[in-house]
Amino acid sequence: IDHGKVNPVEATQIFIRGALIENQDSPIGLRFYQYNNKLREKIETMLTRVRSNRVYTIEEMLFRFYDARIKNVSSVHDLNKLVNERIAVQPDFLCAKEDDLTSGDDLSCDLALFPDQVSVGNSVLPITYNYKPGEEQDGVTVKVPMQLAEHLTTGQVQWMVPGMRDEVANVLLRALPRTIRRELMPIDPKATQIAAQFNPGRADFFTALATFITHHYGIQVKAEDWPPNSLPPHLQPRVEVFDQKKNTVASGRDLAAIRASVQKQDLKSDAWDNAVRRVERYALKTWSFGDLPESIVTEVVGGVPVPGYLGLVLRDGEVDVRLFRNAADAASGTPAAVRQLAENALGKDIAWLWKELRTLGAAPAKLATNFQAALSQLTLPTAPAAAAPKGSVEHLQQSAHEHILSHALRLEPLFPLTEKRFNALCETVRKELPALTHRVKTLSAQVHDLKQKILALPKPYPGLVQDVQRLVPLDLLSRTPHSQLQHLPRYLKAIQVRAERASINPVKDADKAQQIEDFNGWEAYVPRAQHEAFRWMLEEYRVQVFAQELGTAQPVSIKRLEAMMVIREG
């Protein structure tokens, strides 16, 4: 029995819901149907991304739109007849407008802030969005091939959707302990600034965010200040890992657990082994491999390219070209390998350097004007001997040799690894090595001369000897980067000035010393990666406190120093 003849109103409503609203298997071949579905998808996409519960009302609004215009229709035949009669005079019959589904409210958002794919390293990963509060699929899901999953970091995943950043920053600032949160008031503008300026890169997300807040607002924050589950699930992107057959092998919001799970999987593939055989080279002594790309595509899994990263490794005095799973591993051994290849290419020049450093500790040498003439005077090359006792002439020679080569034989920036850049490095070293050697010898002599004069002062202040030993240890050139060597004379002169003023007014010197003593034991409170930067900033601060007229090489203050420290409670 045709239900349209029994109850035409109910039959029409059943047809609208079944054929026009919920139907996906056998879509209607009329223009309005495709048009309205695209409009509905557009609005629901925007609402899903901004997590509005109005996403559930769009279907009902579309039903009401049809219900008001379609009467006595309970089959596709009836619908075709109605539409064909009306479009002759009303071409857009049954084509909804955005206002029909939104009640005139502006529900638009910038979809560029909610991309369908994101770049992670050299790969482009697809993203999906769901508004299903309380369900596993709720929020953002990024789909990652198994070969990439073990290298993902929380910094990359948590910050990958620009449209979520402001809310994430706002929630996390409000999740901090009250004592910290009070200093960050007002919260909203700072959250907006963090969303616009913060970039965690490949670092741990909370560690990077704590460092950003500390440096930008001068308020001590550490990763541990955020309690567990500070972010609700929908603000923690979900990672779904798939294998070569597109099967899901791991999923969830705990990236550490996902990485651990993936690491247990067998990641071997013929594609990777073939790439290794194609690009790796071994036992090289010269730059005979041309230009190395920073990365190559080893295979494509589920439409996502899987990169491999090229780098150099020093092994038993020889260099290998190797393929790595991640960029950090590729970069770690490359500087030492580049230096070895440069030493091989600059054999005569380095032999001259070793001979020239025999005079270290004597009067400063006169700068060579004809380097080729100096090379021609070489006899048999002399190589560095075994490690000599600290403070001996041999030790000074060895440490100066290492200091100069470690400074000179490096590519900055490290990548790209091209033959042209390497040859330019070697040519630059050939030209500048005499001047660099002269500068190191001169500064070394100047520093040791100042050291002796200071230690001979008749009225040293308490701690003077320790200050001098800290700046000029027996292994001075081993412990001092070349960029800092030029500043040592100024630091030592600051000690001289302090000693002279302390002999006149020891009470005032003690008051100033208290400003420095506040940073005693700083090594326990500064992250190891920042030890060098903090060490030299503290030396500049000493100059500012005791001999301000000598000037500082960088802006320095108590606030800047404290911003680099992580205060531990208890």
Side-chain angles (χ1 to χ4, degrees):
I1 300 174
D2 183 356
H3 190 55
K5 295 179 180 179
V6 177
N7 190 333
V9 174
E10 185 179 67
T12 299
Q13 291 178 343
I14 291 173
F15 177 78
I16 290 173
R17 289 199 184 277
L20 303 183
I21 302 295
E22 301 171 0
N23 175 41
Q24 298 296 328
D25 298 328
S26 54
I28 305 298
L30 295 171
R31 185 176 74 89
F32 82 86
Y33 180 82
Q34 285 81 18
Y35 179 87
N36 288 349
N37 278 354
K38 287 182 180 179
L39 177 62
R40 172 185 173 183
E41 182 181 357
K42 172 189 171 184
I43 297 172
E44 289 181 340
T45 294
M46 291 188 293
L47 293 174
T48 298
R49 280 154 172 71
V50 299
R51 296 190 60 76
S52 170
N53 59 11
R54 292 187 64 175
V55 67
Y56 296 126
T57 70
I58 303 305
E59 180 179 305
E60 184 61 26
M61 295 297 290
L62 184 58
F63 170 79
R64 293 179 185 178
F65 172 82
Y66 286 138
D67 189 45
R69 291 161 177 78
I70 300 176
K71 305 296 180 183
N72 300 319
V73 171
S74 58
S75 67
V76 174
H77 173 75
D78 294 342
L79 179 66
N80 287 333
K81 182 179 178 181
L82 172 66
V83 171
N84 289 333
E85 290 174 352
R86 298 291 296 271
I87 61 173
V89 293
Q90 191 179 352
D92 290 335
F93 177 62
L94 292 185
C95 288
K97 295 182 176 62
E98 192 165 316
D99 287 355
D100 295 322
L101 304 187
T102 64
S103 301
D105 296 335
D106 183 10
L107 304 181
S108 62
C109 70
D110 186 355
L111 290 179
L113 298 177
F114 299 89
D116 293 322
Q117 56 187 23
V118 293
S119 296
V120 176
N122 290 347
S123 299
V124 178
L125 305 178
I127 291 180
T128 59
Y129 301 83
N130 283 293
Y131 182 66
K132 298 179 179 179
E135 297 184 22
E136 167 62 21
Q137 301 288 338
D138 188 37
V140 177
T141 295
V142 58
K143 297 185 178 181
V144 184
M146 190 164 61
Q147 290 84 343
L148 292 182
E150 64 174 317
H151 305 302
L152 281 181
T153 67
T154 53
Q156 291 173 311
V157 173
Q158 184 62 64
W159 213 236
M160 65 184 175
V161 180
M164 294 172 55
R165 292 173 184 172
D166 198 296
E167 185 180 1
V168 169
N170 213 306
V171 169
L172 288 179
L173 290 182
R174 297 179 190 280
L176 287 167
R178 182 181 300 176
T179 54
I180 299 176
R181 190 169 66 246
R182 188 183 299 119
E183 295 186 66
L184 287 167
M185 294 293 185
I187 294 291
D188 290 346
K190 290 183 175 61
T192 300
Q193 186 178 36
I194 290 171
Q197 299 180 10
F198 172 55
N199 180 11
R202 289 183 51 81
D204 172 76
F205 177 77
F206 284 100
T207 300
L209 181 59
T211 301
F212 180 91
I213 294 172
T214 299
H215 286 177
H216 278 70
Y217 305 115
I219 299 167
Q220 295 294 328
V221 179
K222 54 185 183 296
E224 296 77 16
D225 288 327
W226 281 286
N229 301 318
S230 294
L231 287 171
H234 75 272
L235 291 180
Q236 301 176 49
R238 179 174 171 273
V239 176
E240 190 172 289
V241 182
F242 59 90
D243 60 18
Q244 289 179 309
K245 297 181 179 179
K246 296 187 179 181
N247 297 320
T248 299
V249 295
S251 64
R253 305 179 198 275
D254 186 342
L255 189 56
I258 288 176
R259 284 199 301 258
S261 174
V262 169
Q263 286 171 357
K264 297 177 182 178
Q265 305 282 339
D266 185 5
L267 295 179
K268 292 181 180 180
S269 71
D270 292 340
W272 180 267
D273 293 339
N274 291 337
V276 166
R277 286 192 291 270
R278 187 172 70 252
V279 302
E280 289 194 350
R281 299 185 64 183
Y282 310 98
L284 304 171
K285 294 187 177 181
T286 63
W287 196 288
S288 57
F289 43 86
D291 298 343
L292 293 182
E294 292 187 45
S295 65
I296 62 171
V297 175
T298 61
E299 60 182 316
V300 177
V301 179
V304 178
V306 178
Y309 300 88
L310 287 163
L312 303 178
V313 174
L314 178 61
R315 178 180 53 83
D316 298 330
E318 296 177 325
V319 171
D320 298 338
V321 176
R322 298 283 301 279
L323 186 65
F324 296 89
R325 295 280 185 182
N326 61 69
D329 289 344
S332 64
T334 298
V338 169
R339 173 175 166 175
Q340 181 63 58
L341 292 175
E343 287 191 34
N344 295 345
L346 297 166
K348 288 186 177 181
D349 306 77
I350 293 174
W352 169 87
L353 171 65
W354 182 250
K355 183 176 180 180
E356 180 69 11
L357 291 174
R358 288 177 179 174
T359 61
L360 193 66
K366 185 177 179 180
L367 178 60
T369 57
N370 187 335
F371 188 46
Q372 292 302 321
L375 285 177
S376 66
Q377 296 173 3
L378 283 175
T379 55
L380 292 175
T382 307
K390 289 183 180 180
S392 66
V393 173
E394 291 80 9
H395 179 263
L396 287 176
Q397 184 183 12
Q398 289 174 353
S399 59
H401 185 268
E402 174 61 25
H403 176 98
I404 291 170
L405 293 185
S406 64
H407 170 71
L409 304 183
R410 55 183 178 163
L411 286 171
E412 288 189 337
L414 181 58
F415 296 101
L417 297 174
T418 66
E419 188 171 9
K420 181 178 180 180
R421 292 187 70 220
F422 176 76
N423 290 337
L425 168 69
C426 293
E427 187 59 31
T428 299
V429 172
R430 285 192 182 96
K431 293 178 179 178
E432 298 181 357
L433 188 59
L436 174 61
T437 304
H438 177 79
R439 182 164 66 249
V440 171
K441 292 173 66 175
T442 300
L443 285 171
S444 181
Q446 185 181 357
V447 165
H448 283 91
D449 182 57
L450 280 170
K451 173 183 177 180
Q452 297 305 318
K453 289 180 179 178
I454 293 171
L455 292 178
L457 290 173
K459 294 183 177 181
Y461 60 81
L464 178 144
V465 174
Q466 290 84 348
D467 284 346
V468 172
Q469 290 176 341
R470 183 187 66 253
L471 286 172
V472 194
L474 294 178
D475 53 350
L476 167 68
L477 293 177
S478 300
R479 294 195 58 195
T480 308
H482 185 73
S483 59
Q484 291 298 135
L485 194 60
Q486 61 182 321
H487 299 299
L488 288 185
R490 180 166 50 88
Y491 299 154
L492 290 168
K493 288 176 183 177
I495 292 177
Q496 278 185 310
V497 171
R498 178 186 176 185
E500 293 168 2
R501 291 173 178 170
S503 66
I504 298 171
N505 192 340
V507 175
K508 186 175 183 180
D509 178 75
D511 289 341
K512 290 183 176 181
Q514 185 61 49
Q515 300 177 47
I516 305 298
E517 290 172 4
D518 289 341
F519 295 100
N520 287 348
W522 61 265
E523 294 89 348
Y525 301 96
V526 175
R528 183 168 295 277
Q530 295 183 319
H531 273 201
E532 274 297 296
F534 189 94
R535 170 192 175 191
W536 297 111
M537 184 180 286
L538 184 57
E539 294 297 346
E540 295 290 346
Y541 183 60
R542 294 175 191 273
V543 174
Q544 182 170 288
V545 170
F546 295 109
Q548 191 172 11
E549 66 273 21
L550 296 180
T552 59
Q554 59 179 305
V556 64
S557 64
I558 290 178
K559 188 174 181 179
R560 289 176 183 270
L561 288 165
E562 288 179 342
M564 299 179 70
M565 303 177 74
V566 177
I567 305 302
R568 295 179 172 85
E569 299 177 358

